[in-house]
Amino acid sequence: MAGQRLKAAILIVSDTASRDHSTDKVGGVLTETFGQQGDRWDKPTVAIVPDNILEIQRHVSRWADGEDHFNLIITSGGTGFALKDHTPEAVLPLIHRHAPGLVHAMLATSLEITPFAMMARPVAGIRHKSIVLTVPGSPKGAKECVEAVIKLLPHACIQAAGADSRTLHAGGIQKLEKEAGVVPSASDKDHHHCQHHGHGHGHAIPKAHTTLAERPSSNDPAVGPTRRYRTSPYPMISVDEALKLVSEYTPDPTIVEVPVGISLVGAVLAEDVFAAEAVPAYRASIVDGYAVIAPSSPGNGKSTKGEFPVASVSHAQAASMPPPLDSGSIARITTGAPLPDNANAVVMVEDTVLVSATPDGKEEAVVEILTADIEIGENIREPGSDVKLGSKILEKGDLITAVGGEIGLLTSTGTKTVKIYKKPCIGVLSTGDELVEHDASVKLTGGQIRDLNRPSLISCLTSWGFPTVDLGIAKDTSGHLEEILRDAMRGSSPSNPTGVDVIITTGGVSMGELDLLKPTIERQLGGTIHFGRVSMKPGKPTTFATVPFKPSASTSKERETKVIFSLPGNPASALVTLNLFVLPSLHKAMGLTQRGLPVVKASLTHSIPKDPKRTEYHRAIVGSSEVDGRMIATSTGITGVGQRSSRVGSLAKANALLVLEPGSGSIEKGQLVEALMMGPIA
Ligand code: AMP
Ligand code: MG
């Protein structure tokens, strides 16, 4: 690492430059500054975004997270006092460890040049293994600040990336200063120890055995409410980014072989299926009528028209074949019945009349065929003409629907078993000391409320066709929560013998001191929280995590990845986020390629005010207009508490979530909006 070239990324934060990239000067100036450092740095990557918190966070976290991270991320602009300046506010929550020394160095340098440096609000720190700095938006200010620290940055970056401190510091601080090309003043020499700890110099400090990425960002519940974060340490990400993370971190589906039967409905095939039998297996009649021997070239007295003796009868239910047909005779045949040998066409009964019956009057003796136009092959299904033996009848990824076509194909060809993707089993847990079972015959006291999330979530999951396990209510204590989550994954009860694949919890993900989900997942279960805040309404604290799980030492089973969705406690938020985030994850786990709710466009029947900041998932009824059949959408309540996240009634009668982008003013009546369909069209 020490000798490797380092990677820097520069994010220009400017409304103007984002509209017209040619107005940006900082990208060029800083690229040149890095170029002047010899071959220490690769040419920096430059991107331009407007003064928008989400956009800034998206870039910084994309650059810092993951294997291919940048060593240094510099934002330029938006650090002043103007109303639209909020780069520090975007960057601060992303920082795992602060670096006030870098801030100090930048400010001290700038203050020597102008007192206006006081008006800068720089931020510096480390996210995972990347150093993040914010510098002013003016090319001059940006250059000064970067130059103030650039000599020390390679060393800082290498350390942040996890280089071994002992090796790095061998030779002492003078060697490092020399390598960096910085000469400290005499007074610096006396004081540097307070900044620079390590083995080669000064006092030794304990060495961490975890990497930065492994350390949790959640509150430590043990330290109590006075020490909790007062703003969420999880970056606010957009719904699209959250969905990407869900898709990326939901484990790939597993395959099982199951018998063909009605329980297959709702499953996705994990293999191509080939016909084990032809359909039909024999030459079959398409109509009720008479099997005939049609002449290959009609004329010369040869015709299907005329009177013929009825030689035999072929019924569809016959287990044996009818006798061969003699020339000059015909055989009565029913729809689906096998054709006698020698017969090559069927005349439908409508094209015939009875000429004479047998002496007992019960059977047909002679029948007249009224048409001469019957062609060879007419009204016959050849063997394999519906399904050819060995042909591909269904494909890997096909959903076995309740319509019946897929089950029909499998059963008609005698397919006995198929490989499908195993549907995930989902445990549903409510959390909160205030919760009471919905059917408990008690009078609620104090702050008690009935647990409605579990029954409503389980109903929804069951209607989607997933097996569920009711995990009950967890108390607001970390130990209790951990025990329930571990038991749920392990499977230790008759109602949950094998362990669940996915856990959905509700409650306990807001900012209160009793909000224990994130710390329990990170600190007790060793899980990774992929996101803990989403820019949406309702559902902001929605949390998605994966947890490594070893079934038990006694089994030879591989380590598995379990998925945990910790949804907000407010009931409308819980149901909306279940539909929006959990469903696509379950779809991936069950092998579907088309994931999540289907989308239609519908025209609003009234105006709806927009949320200024967050995308709203507005509960609505979508139906078709009686006037012109177009899709129309009507809110389940826009006044007062209409869409409040605690009001589960906003989902009663609702069949859609309208996706309303943030902004000022209203979306007007008649405007088309995107509607995510949760249920059938009204
Ligand atoms: P929390 O995130 O735990 O603070 O929960 C947010 C709000 O949702 C609180 O008012 C809770 O009482 C409420 N809540 C949490 N879980 C449930 C539940 N299972 N049923 C109904 N309301 C709930
Ligand atoms: Mg709670």
Side-chain angles (χ1 to χ4, degrees):
M1 177 85 216
Q4 267 175 29
R5 283 166 75 95
L6 297 163
K7 291 199 309 172
I10 298 165
L11 186 66
I12 310 297
V13 181
S14 156
D15 284 343
T16 320
S18 75
R19 278 192 296 271
D20 177 2
H21 286 202
S22 68
T23 59
D24 168 55
K25 302 278 175 291
V26 177
V29 166
L30 293 188
T31 303
E32 203 183 312
T33 308
F34 279 97
Q36 288 160 356
Q37 300 301 305
D39 57 1
R40 201 69 187 97
W41 298 91
D42 277 347
K43 184 165 184 259
T45 294
V46 180
I48 303 181
V49 293
D51 287 284
N52 174 303
I53 290 196
L54 269 181
E55 292 273 346
I56 300 170
Q57 291 188 330
R58 189 176 298 143
H59 276 79
V60 173
S61 46
R62 192 184 300 146
W63 284 341
D65 301 356
E67 281 299 300
D68 203 21
H69 66 93
F70 284 88
N71 300 98
L72 176 67
I73 298 165
I74 297 179
T75 72
S76 162
T79 57
F81 281 40
L83 279 182
K84 65 179 178 90
D85 288 337
H86 32 226
T87 305
E89 286 62 45
V91 172
L92 263 173
L94 302 184
I95 284 184
H96 295 146
R97 291 189 300 161
H98 290 273
L102 291 176
V103 172
H104 184 85
M106 290 192 288
L107 279 179
T109 308
S110 300
L111 278 168
E112 277 185 13
I113 297 162
T114 166
F116 275 95
M118 271 183 251
M119 305 292 284
R121 305 183 299 121
V123 166
I126 303 160
R127 178 173 174 82
H128 298 303
K129 296 178 175 176
S130 306
I131 303 221
V132 187
L133 294 180
T134 66
V135 301
S138 73
K140 189 168 169 293
K143 183 165 186 275
E144 280 159 18
C145 284
V146 171
E147 281 178 348
V149 293
I150 198 162
K151 293 266 187 287
L152 272 305
L153 284 176
H155 178 69
C157 288
I158 291 164
Q159 256 204 311
D164 177 55
S165 222
R166 188 183 291 271
T167 325
L168 201 57
H169 291 162
I173 193 76
Q174 280 87 357
K175 179 165 174 276
L176 288 173
E177 284 167 355
K178 197 158 155 255
E179 277 171 10
V182 289
V183 183
S185 68
S187 60
D188 288 341
K189 282 226 152 125
D190 299 332
H191 291 112
H192 70 250
H193 290 306
C194 65
Q195 281 283 322
H196 206 100
H197 309 296
H199 294 277
H201 57 91
H203 35 258
I205 59 159
K207 184 174 180 297
H209 289 270
T210 51
T211 66
L212 291 173
E214 284 163 356
R215 283 180 210 145
S217 335
S218 52
N219 279 318
D220 179 355
V223 300
T226 51
R227 300 273 300 278
R228 73 178 143 138
Y229 292 111
R230 306 198 86 82
T231 52
S232 172
Y234 296 92
M236 176 90 98
I237 63 171
S238 69
V239 170
D240 281 350
E241 282 173 295
L243 286 170
K244 253 189 230 146
L245 291 168
V246 167
S247 157
E248 186 175 343
Y249 288 103
T250 297
D252 285 330
T254 52
I255 297 172
V256 285
E257 187 155 3
V258 293
V260 168
I262 51 173
S263 59
L264 267 187
V265 171
V268 176
L269 288 174
E271 60 174 352
D272 293 343
V273 182
F274 299 90
E277 294 170 2
V279 182
Y282 52 86
R283 297 172 82 207
S285 173
I286 292 175
V287 294
D288 291 322
Y290 297 88
V292 299
I293 303 171
S296 50
S297 46
N300 301 333
K302 288 187 188 163
S303 169
T304 51
K305 192 169 158 60
E307 294 182 2
F308 298 91
V310 179
S312 64
V313 179
S314 176
H315 282 150
Q317 69 268 35
S320 58
M321 289 297 287
L325 194 59
D326 289 333
S327 160
S329 61
I330 60 175
R332 196 161 85 239
I333 192 163
T334 61
T335 304
L339 244 70
D341 278 353
N342 303 333
N344 59 10
V346 178
V347 182
M348 61 206 287
V349 68
E350 291 85 340
D351 287 336
T352 66
V353 288
L354 179 66
V355 175
S356 62
T358 51
D360 61 6
K362 286 188 177 163
E363 267 299 344
E364 298 166 331
V366 176
V367 162
E368 182 182 355
I369 296 175
L370 303 172
T371 170
D373 299 336
I374 302 298
E375 288 173 10
I376 292 176
E378 197 164 329
N379 293 328
I380 292 175
R381 284 154 66 220
E382 290 296 335
S385 58
D386 284 357
V387 181
K388 213 165 139 216
L389 181 69
S391 64
K392 196 198 278 184
I393 51 171
L394 290 169
E395 282 190 350
K396 178 173 166 174
D398 282 350
L399 175 69
I400 312 291
T401 67
V403 173
E406 298 81 15
I407 290 280
L409 274 173
L410 291 170
T411 47
S412 68
T413 50
T415 315
K416 299 291 178 298
T417 62
V418 279
K419 288 195 178 121
I420 59 165
Y421 297 112
K422 184 174 163 278
K423 280 202 178 169
C425 176
I426 305 143
V428 180
L429 176 72
S430 290
T431 71
D433 290 340
E434 75 279 30
L435 298 181
V436 174
E437 291 286 352
H438 75 93
D439 53 357
S441 23
V442 292
K443 192 168 165 13
L444 300 184
T445 56
Q448 285 186 324
I449 53 170
R450 299 217 180 251
D451 175 10
L452 67 93
N453 287 351
R454 228 170 359 124
S456 55
L457 262 58
I458 291 178
S459 319
C460 203
L461 293 164
T462 310
S463 81
W464 290 338
F466 294 99
T468 57
V469 175
D470 184 341
L471 299 175
I473 299 173
K475 293 277 164 224
D476 283 328
T477 62
S478 197
H480 190 226
L481 204 51
E482 180 190 350
E483 189 184 316
I484 293 185
L485 296 176
R486 280 195 195 283
D487 284 351
M489 293 189 273
R490 192 183 304 123
S492 49
S493 65
S495 63
N496 178 22
T498 52
V500 299
D501 307 295
V502 178
I503 297 177
I504 303 174
T505 67
T506 60
V509 281
S510 315
M511 290 296 294
E513 72 269 27
L514 295 181
D515 291 332
L516 296 168
L517 256 306
K518 286 178 175 113
T520 305
I521 293 169
E522 281 194 328
R523 292 164 188 268
Q524 261 81 43
L525 303 178
T528 306
I529 293 184
H530 302 293
F531 60 82
R533 240 170 14 134
V534 187
S535 177
M536 64 182 294
K537 180 183 162 184
K540 192 167 77 166
T542 303
T543 298
F544 167 63
T546 47
V547 175
F549 182 76
K550 176 100 179 92
S552 89
S554 60
T555 67
S556 57
K557 273 192 170 171
E558 289 287 298
R559 186 176 280 271
E560 295 169 2
T561 299
K562 305 280 187 183
V563 170
I564 302 185
F565 282 96
S566 289
L567 307 183
N570 272 318
S573 318
L575 277 172
V576 167
T577 52
L578 180 82
N579 275 276
L580 202 63
F581 297 114
V582 181
L583 184 64
S585 169
L586 299 179
H587 279 167
K588 178 179 177 191
M590 66 175 277
L592 273 179
T593 42
Q594 273 240 312
R595 300 170 194 163
L597 297 173
V599 193
V600 300
K601 291 258 181 178
S603 137
L604 285 182
T605 60
H606 52 79
S607 75
I608 303 181
K610 291 187 208 170
D611 185 273
K613 288 204 178 109
R614 289 181 280 157
T615 306
E616 187 187 348
Y617 289 81
H618 194 104
R619 283 74 83 197
I621 304 160
V622 166
S624 64
S625 151
E626 281 178 10
V627 182
D628 55 11
R630 274 188 317 149
M631 299 278 217
I632 48 172
T634 307
S635 168
T636 56
I638 40 170
T639 51
V641 300
Q643 297 287 310
R644 193 153 78 184
S645 55
S646 57
R647 192 177 156 257
V648 76
S650 64
L651 280 138
K653 298 200 180 82
N655 62 356
L657 298 172
L658 306 182
V659 185
L660 308 181
E661 296 302 337
S664 54
S666 294
I667 305 182
E668 297 309 328
K669 178 177 172 174
Q671 246 176 282
L672 275 185
V673 291
E674 215 168 70
L676 301 173
M677 297 306 297
M678 297 184 289
I681 288 162

